Structures are given as C-alpha cells and as structure tokens.
Amino acid sequence: MDRIPSKVLLIVIFLIIFPMSNSVEENVKQALAQFMANLSPGNGQNNQNWGWNLTSDPCNDEWVGVSCDSQSQTVKGIVLGEYNFTGTLDASSLCMVKSLAVLSLISNNIVGIIPEEIGNCTSLTHLYIRKNKFVGVIPDALSQLSNLERLDISNNHFSGVISTMSRISGLVSFLAQDNHLSGEIPEFDFVNLQQFNVSNNNFIGQIPDVQGRFDADSFSGNPGLCGKPLLNTCPPLAAPPFAEP
C-alpha cells in the first residue's frame, strides 16, 4: 500500500480540524438575528420560511430580504419594505455586517433614532428609510460614510440641522422631504447630485446655488427659505453701521 505523502496528510488533517465553510460567519449571523429581534419585537414575521434565526444561514437558506455575494458568501443587501416593523434600528448589531452595502426599510413603522453606530457601516452605499416614524437629529456619524451614494430619510419626524450632510462627497441622491428639519441648507455638491428634495421642512435662509439642476418643488413648504428657484427673493443684506471718524 502506497504511503500518503506527509504534505497531503497535513492538509487533510487541517481540513478536518478547520473545515472550509461556505456559510456566513457565526458572529455575523448572531448580529443579524439580534438586528431583527429589535426591528420586529415579538418576531411576528418569523416562521419556517422567514429565516433570521441561528439555525439557518442568511445566504444558503435565503433569508427573506437578504441578498448575498455568491462568490464570497457575504451579505450585501437587506431590503425589507412594507413589513409593518414597529421596533428600532439596532445599528450596533447591523454594522457588524461589514460587507453590507444596501439597507432598505421603506414603509414600515420603525421608531426611535438613527444611532451614532451607523457610522460603523462603512461599506454602505444605499440607505433608504423613508415612510417610518424615526425621530431625533441626523447623527454626524452618517456624514462619515464615505461610500454613501443614495440617502432617503423622507417622510419621518427628523428634526435639527443637516449641516454635516454636505461632507459626503460621493452623494448623488439626498431626499429629506416631509420632516421637521431646520437651519440653513448647506453647500452640497449640486453638480453631482441627481436627486435632491428638502421640501416641507422648517429650513430658513437663502438657498445655495443649485446650478439650475433643481426646481422649486425641491424646496417648497419651507416658509423661511428665499432665493432661486423659489419666487420669493431674499431681503437685501443690512448695511454695516456707519462709524463716525
């Protein structure tokens, strides 16, 4: 009987002790299950075909709403629109999925804030959370997502300013209409923006130069705004007080 080469034997032993896996890492699976537990209190949607549990795999077992890279078996997208979720966005758990590029939670009843931990979702390119019940300010951490291209936070109850959002250099879509946002509109890179809407908020001041790319519909419903493309002109700047010699 031929002797098995020692090199081959070592490889066989290694594979037995450390088997190659085609499934999602266990810590990622646990993080996703925790994310869903907070998003959907009571696990009302969880049935045999739903997934989102520790006894199945997000990619191999095709969890509802989850899309994966077929080569690397990593989670790339979570799209869960119109499921009537009533919980909160657990960004601490969600952002343990370092490969996540797309998150869409459109048309649910999600409450609470966007946590600062959203800044840990560094691969995120698309974030859609319109038509929910989010409150609070837009966290500065959101502006640190350098890969973010499309952001839709419209139809919520967000308040406060958006001054840091213009720091996202690659942003091509910013939709924030129908909230309670305030302050002045910062200088976005309007040349690169394909979609922009901040209508029906509480913004004030002069509208920045939008390079003729967006019309009045993108700014209407903000009584404190003035300047093009709106019809109401801004009042002239007050002259500095005269100083006697």
Side-chain angles (χ1 to χ4, degrees):
M1 183 171 169
D2 294 337
R3 185 177 178 181
I4 300 175
S6 58
K7 189 174 181 179
V8 174
L9 188 60
L10 285 173
I11 294 173
V12 171
I13 294 172
F14 181 85
L15 291 176
I16 292 173
I17 299 174
F18 304 106
M20 296 180 65
S21 174
N22 290 321
S23 61
V24 170
E25 294 177 359
E26 194 65 27
N27 66 322
V28 171
K29 189 191 304 183
Q30 291 175 354
L32 286 171
Q34 184 61 47
F35 165 74
M36 178 55 68
N38 285 289
L39 194 67
S40 177
N43 299 315
Q45 282 79 14
N46 285 8
N47 56 47
Q48 188 174 1
N49 298 319
W50 177 255
W52 292 92
N53 54 57
L54 298 179
T55 61
S56 59
D57 184 82
C59 298
N60 293 334
D61 297 312
E62 298 182 351
W63 286 8
V64 170
V66 174
S67 58
C68 299
D69 183 286
S70 58
Q71 298 297 320
S72 62
Q73 287 293 289
T74 54
V75 174
K76 303 298 289 185
I78 297 175
V79 179
L80 294 166
E82 299 183 353
Y83 280 99
N84 196 33
F85 295 132
T86 57
T88 58
L89 174 59
D90 178 7
S92 290
S93 296
L94 177 71
C95 294
M96 289 185 68
V97 188
K98 298 301 183 183
S99 56
L100 185 67
V102 176
L103 176 64
S104 178
L105 302 171
I106 293 172
S107 298
N108 284 286
N109 288 298
I110 303 167
V111 299
I113 64 170
I114 299 179
E116 285 285 346
E117 289 80 1
I118 195 69
N120 295 327
C121 284
T122 53
S123 296
L124 207 60
T125 60
H126 295 64
L127 177 58
Y128 304 112
I129 55 172
R130 72 170 178 266
K131 291 187 178 180
N132 279 285
K133 296 179 179 179
F134 284 103
V135 297
V137 300
I138 308 302
D140 287 345
L142 204 58
S143 67
Q144 299 169 13
L145 298 178
S146 58
N147 292 312
L148 195 62
E149 299 174 5
R150 297 184 181 274
L151 175 61
D152 186 350
I153 59 172
S154 60
N155 296 93
N156 279 285
H157 305 292
F158 288 116
S159 58
V161 300
I162 59 169
S163 55
T164 61
M165 290 298 98
S166 58
R167 298 176 188 169
I168 309 175
S169 59
L171 206 60
V172 297
S173 176
F174 181 76
L175 302 176
Q177 66 268 27
D178 298 305
N179 279 287
H180 308 294
L181 299 168
S182 58
E184 296 186 345
I185 299 172
E187 293 277 355
F188 284 87
D189 186 358
F190 288 103
V191 173
N192 289 326
L193 278 172
Q194 299 169 5
Q195 293 179 302
F196 184 83
N197 196 326
V198 292
S199 61
N200 301 320
N201 279 285
N202 299 310
F203 290 110
I204 60 172
Q206 184 169 358
I207 297 172
D209 183 4
V210 297
Q211 308 292 324
R213 295 177 61 84
F214 304 103
D215 58 23
D217 290 341
S218 293
F219 304 93
S220 62
N222 292 280
L225 282 180
C226 61
K228 294 181 179 180
L230 297 178
L231 295 177
N232 52 315
T233 57
C234 295
L237 295 175
F242 177 74
E244 295 185 4

